[in-house]
Amino acid sequence: MSFPVRYLLACGVIFFGLLFLSCSVADEISLQPVINVNTTCSPFMVDDPEFDFELKRTLSSMYSGGSDLGEVIATASRIKPLNYENWYAEWTKTADHFKKVGDTAYEQGHLVSAHDAWLRAQTYYRTAEFFLHRNPDDPRILTSWKNSVDTFRAAMELDPVHMEIVEIPYENTTLPGYFYSADDSGEKKPLLIIQTGYDGTQEELYSNALEGVKRGYNVLTFEGPGQGEVIRVQKIPFRYDWEKVVGPVLDYATSRPDVDSERIGMWGISMGGYFVPRAAAFDNRIHAIIADSAIYDMANEQVSQFRMGFPDPQNVTREDVFDFIRENKDYVNEDMYARMKNSTSMDWTMTQGMYVFDVPTPADVMLIYEPYTLEGVIENITAATLVCDGISDSKIGGQAQIFYEALKCPKTYLVFTDEFCAGEHCQLGASGISYQEKLDWLDDQLHP
């Protein structure tokens, strides 16, 4: 094994900023469970960072009635760290319970209670399904996802906000979408399109959509390749050239009589912080974008850390790193599989990557990010852009400043701190602060 191979595999790789083990050339690979949690803002399961993050994510939906404190804490108390089957079983048990509560309330004519119970059940079904993707053929993926969608749509039939299920023409198929109306006038309104990321579903965007509706926007959410229904049912993986996805979405949106085509904003969440700017660089029908969190290069962290394994890292190019991974796939995979056994974060990141990109190994996940960069296109963005950064972002940190400096359009840089625990990825757990800052900025651009 060459010096760079041995050194790099001994040191490991930061992938999405999830894991780094300091070492020297002579160090043996450490395979102890990795703990990396901001304990000040993570009170639930500090012995497992990925479970902790997903618990906070589930609890965050409480802001719009999608979960409740006691239900989340009670379920969390039954979950064993690093035990995916236990995670699935306990969240499914909670979801099934509240689906039945909703069913019973509906049969008895208690429609508000039915709506509320179903809305919470859909969140718990989504949470249950989260760690199942290591086996893409696991039938529970579709069952849990469908239960989440069905309970969400049942709740929306009773929701005060009108939501329309839409199908957006895309290549030789359609993309699923939800169109939320600001009112029932049918008049043209500014449109906010909300885009999820690496692991989200559009049902999870209900909170975001409500905030837009309250401010006078019509709101469109959708799932593209690699997301939600499109990966689970249609089996279409992610693609880097997201302008080919957003173009048809904009075609659909601007064809509607209730959309003001001169006032369209897009909000890209998590990996959507790459997708939305990428689309805006090719389509000037987008007038304002929120990059939340802003991503300049999806491979930034892996490239930075691989460079450290070379004798002269400052002279190692991005292309050199990808060439190295291509030439040493067996070694990289051996190391990554070993680390995945002892880190929920690393394991989930890689198994999710294999699922949403439809590739067979962790090395292939790393390699597929090669074209996922805004280099050479970001300067074409003309839309006013809000660049969001979290001081304690545990998923995709450290790129917002690079992103901001590369922009040539009107731009604003917004850093969230941990004063009220808003510094986490996409301000997880600080919904009020998040919505206020981002949507106030959008209001100043589009004037709903």
Side-chain angles (χ1 to χ4, degrees):
M1 188 182 300
S2 68
F3 169 78
V5 174
R6 184 178 186 279
Y7 183 79
L8 284 164
L9 296 185
C11 290
V13 181
I14 290 184
F15 192 75
F16 276 10
L18 293 174
L19 173 64
F20 180 68
L21 303 176
S22 61
C23 56
S24 67
V25 175
D27 285 342
E28 295 299 323
I29 297 174
S30 171
L31 294 179
Q32 297 301 311
V34 176
I35 308 302
N36 181 23
V37 178
N38 180 347
T39 56
T40 301
C41 297
S42 301
F44 297 114
M45 296 185 70
V46 296
D47 51 357
D48 193 309
E50 201 62 38
F51 280 17
D52 180 86
F53 186 88
E54 291 309 314
L55 284 168
K56 288 191 294 180
R57 182 174 179 173
T58 298
L59 188 58
S60 292
S61 62
M62 186 170 68
Y63 194 82
S64 59
S67 66
D68 203 7
L69 180 63
E71 295 162 12
V72 174
I73 291 177
T75 308
S77 71
R78 303 192 298 268
I79 292 172
K80 303 170 185 175
L82 302 174
N83 190 321
Y84 300 127
E85 288 298 317
N86 174 247
W87 174 279
Y88 168 80
E90 294 302 334
W91 282 112
T92 299
K93 186 187 301 180
T94 299
D96 286 344
H97 174 84
F98 287 102
K99 179 185 181 300
K100 290 177 183 177
V101 169
D103 293 347
T104 300
Y106 185 80
E107 291 166 2
Q108 295 176 350
H110 301 300
L111 302 188
V112 172
S113 294
H115 167 275
D116 293 352
W118 284 336
L119 195 61
R120 302 199 306 278
Q122 67 87 18
T123 299
Y124 303 146
Y125 280 125
R126 179 188 59 76
T127 303
E129 187 261 2
F130 192 79
F131 291 107
L132 294 179
H133 297 166
R134 68 177 30 76
N135 175 12
D137 298 319
D138 188 332
R140 297 174 298 178
I141 293 175
L142 279 179
T143 300
S144 297
W145 166 80
K146 188 174 187 304
N147 285 338
S148 181
V149 172
D150 288 348
T151 48
F152 176 76
R153 292 181 178 181
M156 291 309 298
E157 288 289 331
L158 304 174
D159 200 277
V161 174
H162 175 69
M163 185 273 282
E164 175 187 352
I165 301 170
V166 301
E167 294 184 352
I168 301 168
Y170 167 73
E171 295 189 346
N172 60 347
T173 184
T174 60
L175 303 178
Y178 297 140
F179 191 93
Y180 299 81
S181 299
D183 57 36
D184 59 2
S185 69
E187 297 177 356
K188 287 183 182 294
K189 301 282 185 184
L191 178 67
L192 172 58
I193 304 174
I194 308 178
Q195 170 74 80
T196 187
Y198 189 63
D199 52 46
T201 65
Q202 63 173 335
E203 289 76 31
E204 188 181 6
L205 299 177
Y206 174 74
S207 291
N208 309 72
L210 286 189
E211 293 301 312
V213 167
K214 288 194 296 187
R215 289 164 169 80
Y217 297 93
N218 288 334
V219 176
L220 174 64
T221 66
F222 74 96
E223 293 167 344
Q227 300 173 328
E229 176 184 333
V230 185
I231 189 63
R232 289 166 177 80
V233 178
Q234 301 186 52
K235 307 297 184 183
I236 304 175
F238 277 131
R239 57 188 298 174
Y240 79 93
D241 51 349
W242 207 251
E243 67 276 10
K244 302 289 182 61
V245 178
V246 171
V249 173
L250 290 169
D251 291 343
Y252 165 77
T254 55
S255 72
R256 292 184 62 109
D258 51 359
V259 168
D260 183 346
S261 61
E262 298 302 315
R263 290 188 291 170
I264 296 178
M266 283 199 74
W267 183 358
I269 298 170
S270 192
M271 192 174 173
Y274 164 82
F275 288 137
V276 167
R278 170 84 196 196
F282 291 87
D283 203 318
N284 60 14
R285 289 177 291 179
I286 306 169
H287 302 97
I289 65 174
I290 302 172
D292 180 20
S293 299
I295 303 172
Y296 182 78
D297 181 356
M298 291 296 300
N300 180 69
E301 293 299 332
Q302 75 179 39
V303 168
S304 297
Q305 294 308 315
F306 264 107
R307 280 178 176 146
M308 299 303 294
F310 288 84
D312 188 15
Q314 292 188 354
N315 291 320
V316 175
T317 67
R318 190 175 187 273
E319 183 179 358
D320 290 337
V321 170
F322 282 105
D323 286 344
F324 171 85
I325 298 171
R326 270 188 288 270
E327 293 165 6
N328 297 278
K329 283 181 65 175
D330 289 343
Y331 293 129
V332 171
N333 280 325
E334 181 182 359
D335 180 73
M336 293 307 297
Y337 279 122
R339 297 184 186 282
M340 287 162 63
K341 291 179 181 178
N342 291 275
S343 168
T344 309
S345 295
M346 180 68 80
D347 182 72
W348 175 80
T349 299
M350 289 301 173
T351 54
Q352 176 71 6
M354 289 185 274
Y355 179 65
V356 295
F357 291 111
D358 190 24
V359 294
T361 73
D364 291 302
V365 174
M366 296 179 183
L367 289 170
I368 208 162
Y369 280 111
E370 189 167 11
Y372 282 75
T373 176
L374 296 178
E375 184 177 4
V377 301
I378 194 171
E379 59 268 23
N380 297 329
I381 297 174
T382 58
T385 301
L386 178 64
V387 180
C388 299
D389 195 4
I391 200 73
S392 298
D393 191 324
S394 64
K395 301 297 181 185
I396 312 175
Q399 295 199 54
Q401 188 67 43
I402 300 170
F403 182 105
Y404 178 80
E405 291 174 359
L407 288 168
K408 305 300 182 185
C409 58
K411 57 188 179 179
T412 302
Y413 189 72
L414 180 59
V415 180
F416 293 89
T417 72
D418 281 336
E419 181 181 6
F420 297 103
C421 292
E424 183 48 286
H425 183 57
C426 299
Q427 289 58 70
L428 186 74
S431 299
I433 294 171
S434 173
Y435 296 147
Q436 174 198 338
E437 295 284 356
K438 296 164 190 174
L439 291 174
D440 284 359
W441 176 87
L442 189 66
D443 289 349
D444 291 340
Q445 314 307 313
L446 301 182
H447 308 289

